């Protein structure tokens, strides 16, 4: 069966919400640099837009993690594909995620980073699918709460496809 795409959140709505999220993050920030840690690859588009909506002192770092195979279901196994290049000890950290689904990836990252003694650690996610949660997580900034559907676009993929779509779309027929 061929894949079908249905727009769930338009680029225009995403832009407006990210501007608000930037203001929320600024209101909670100090003069010390905030380390925006993008979880590759899915959050690269969100990071690019969110970082420019934040007016306070920020630095950008990348981390690559995999918890999914080619498939759309979680393997439950989290693997660090690329670790941070810098120390986050005594730094303010903001984890920038594309989507929180089971919560397994985020819990793994929070545990890993807490061992490195940051000054503070917060989480921003563009999308949250709370119905799918297997492990509870505390998220500080949520762009949109969405139903239990598989979405692609704006950085999110299905088997590496569709990351370049400007809107967030529901993918069916998979
Ligand atoms: P979790 O560990 O189950 O919370 O999975 C989080 C990761 O799974 C996200 O960072 C995405 O890479 C991927 N993921 C979860 N749901 C979707 C979806 O609907 N579309 C695309 N990727 C997803
Ligand atoms: Mg991700």
């Amino acid at each position: 069966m061929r894949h079908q795409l249905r727009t769930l959140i338009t680029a225009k709505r995403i832009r407006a919400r990210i501007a608000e999220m930037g203001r929320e993050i600024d209101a909670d920030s100090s003069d010390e640099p905030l380390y925006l840690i993008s979880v590759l690859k899915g959050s690269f588009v969100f990071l690019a837009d969110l970082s420019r909506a934040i007016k306070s002192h920020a630095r950008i770092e990348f981390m690559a993690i995999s918890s999914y195979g080619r498939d759309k279901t979680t393997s439950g196994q989290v693997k660090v594909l690329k670790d941070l290049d810098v120390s986050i000890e005594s730094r303010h950290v903001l984890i920038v995620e594309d989507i929180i689904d089971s919560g397994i990836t985020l819990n793994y990252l929070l545990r890993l980073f807490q061992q490195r003694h940051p000054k503070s650690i917060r989480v921003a996610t563009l999308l949250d699918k709370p119905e799918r949660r297997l492990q509870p997580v505390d998220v500080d900034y949520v762009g949109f709460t969405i139903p239990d559907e598989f979405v692609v676009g704006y950085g999110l993929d299905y088997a590496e496809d569709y990351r370049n779509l400007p809107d967030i779309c529901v993918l069916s027929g998979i």
Side-chain angles (χ1 to χ4, degrees):
M1 192 169 148
R2 283 176 62 88
H3 297 168
Q4 282 127 37
L5 293 168
R6 171 172 57 82
T7 303
L8 182 68
I9 309 169
T10 61
K12 191 176 168 195
R13 276 185 68 204
I14 298 170
R15 202 177 321 119
R17 181 66 190 118
I18 290 178
E20 287 174 0
M21 292 177 86
R23 288 192 286 271
E24 290 169 29
I25 292 165
D26 280 339
D28 298 339
S29 296
S30 65
D31 290 339
E32 291 173 67
L34 179 62
Y35 280 67
L36 306 181
I37 300 184
S38 163
V39 185
L40 293 170
K41 297 175 194 171
S43 73
F44 82 103
V45 182
F46 179 43
L47 173 85
D49 287 342
L50 183 69
S51 62
R52 287 176 293 174
I54 294 172
K55 305 293 175 225
S56 39
H57 189 177
R59 292 181 180 169
I60 315 279
E61 297 295 337
F62 295 97
M63 172 100 190
I65 277 238
S66 132
S67 63
Y68 281 63
R70 255 187 65 84
D71 205 315
K72 71 179 186 90
T73 51
T74 182
S75 64
Q77 284 287 85
V78 184
K79 208 166 91 186
V80 174
L81 302 177
K82 181 209 172 294
D83 204 342
L84 295 174
D85 298 323
V86 294
S87 164
I88 53 168
E89 189 176 341
S90 305
R91 299 298 195 180
H92 293 291
V93 166
L94 180 68
I95 297 177
V96 179
E97 261 286 23
D98 48 359
I99 185 165
I100 315 288
D101 189 39
S102 68
I104 291 172
T105 309
L106 184 60
N107 266 308
Y108 175 89
L109 265 184
L110 284 168
R111 271 200 306 274
L112 182 72
F113 287 175
Q114 259 141 16
Q115 291 164 12
R116 299 178 183 183
H117 309 293
K119 194 174 225 174
S120 71
I121 182 156
R122 284 176 283 157
V123 178
T125 187
L126 180 65
L127 303 173
D128 185 15
K129 263 199 250 182
E131 284 169 51
R132 300 256 309 169
R133 205 71 92 246
L134 295 175
Q135 293 181 3
V137 282
D138 268 340
V139 185
D140 302 272
Y141 312 98
V142 175
F144 301 92
T145 299
I146 62 165
D148 179 13
E149 291 187 286
F150 196 80
V151 290
V152 294
Y154 198 79
L156 289 124
D157 74 310
Y158 172 64
E160 296 302 327
D161 290 331
Y162 305 113
R163 291 195 197 275
N164 58 323
L165 293 177
D167 302 321
I168 292 168
C169 301
V170 172
L171 184 71
S172 51
I174 48 179

